[in-house]
Amino acid sequence: AVEVMESGGGSVEAGGSLELSCVVSRVFYEHNVVGWFHQVPGRDREGVATIVLGDAGRGYAADGSTYYADSVKGRFVISRNASDGDRITIGLQMNALKPDDTGMYYCGAREGRVGVNWDGFLSSSKFGHWAQGTQVIVSS
């Protein structure tokens, strides 16, 4: 089964930067989506940024395609940092952090082909594999 582990996070003042890292292992499908989701108490887990891994051909989301929540566009960058066999490392660079960015960040992975117009890129209910979560605190 797919394993997802993440690291990073911490505390920073508003305007600062943090980086999260996620390692997805035992990936067997040629087309997957991996990314981060943000959660605060009392609210659902919300998509922050995701990236497509793999090439499934015409009509499917392209390898390396990225998707961002409006609230983080221009501030966060998701990237594929390394691939080694069935292990893939993903990074999330978070810049110009705001107090509203405070919360738990969960790396999630989804196996299987997704189309270009798939509506689940930032939907936590579409992802089946999760890391343990890491806390980010942004003070004003």
Side-chain angles (χ1 to χ4, degrees):
V2 172
E3 295 181 348
V4 188
M5 296 184 66
E6 65 180 306
S7 59
S11 298
V12 68
E13 293 184 352
S17 298
L18 287 172
E19 184 173 3
L20 305 182
S21 182
C22 178
V23 178
V24 184
S25 59
R26 299 186 180 182
V27 177
F28 297 107
Y29 287 86
E30 77 283 3
H31 207 231
N32 305 276
V33 184
V34 181
W36 274 272
F37 295 76
H38 175 231
Q39 189 169 28
V40 297
R43 297 190 62 177
D44 292 336
R45 199 169 292 186
E46 299 178 342
V48 173
T50 60
I51 185 169
V52 173
L53 305 177
D55 184 6
R58 177 178 291 184
Y60 295 98
D63 181 31
S65 298
T66 56
Y67 304 84
Y68 294 94
D70 288 342
S71 61
V72 306
K73 286 180 180 177
R75 299 190 297 123
F76 291 12
V77 179
I78 188 170
S79 61
R80 173 172 41 202
N81 294 341
S83 296
D84 179 15
D86 63 355
R87 286 171 58 94
I88 304 170
T89 302
I90 306 297
L92 181 68
Q93 179 65 42
M94 303 188 292
N95 301 318
L97 283 161
K98 305 175 181 179
D100 285 347
D101 296 321
T102 294
M104 292 294 293
Y105 283 75
Y106 295 90
C107 182
R110 173 200 160 86
E111 299 173 283
R113 298 179 180 180
V114 296
V116 173
N117 296 316
W118 185 51
D119 63 356
F121 287 107
L122 296 175
S123 176
S124 62
S125 64
K126 306 295 187 181
F127 289 70
H129 306 283
W130 296 97
Q132 74 282 4
T134 188
Q135 183 146 31
V136 170
I137 298 173
V138 184
S139 57
S140 57

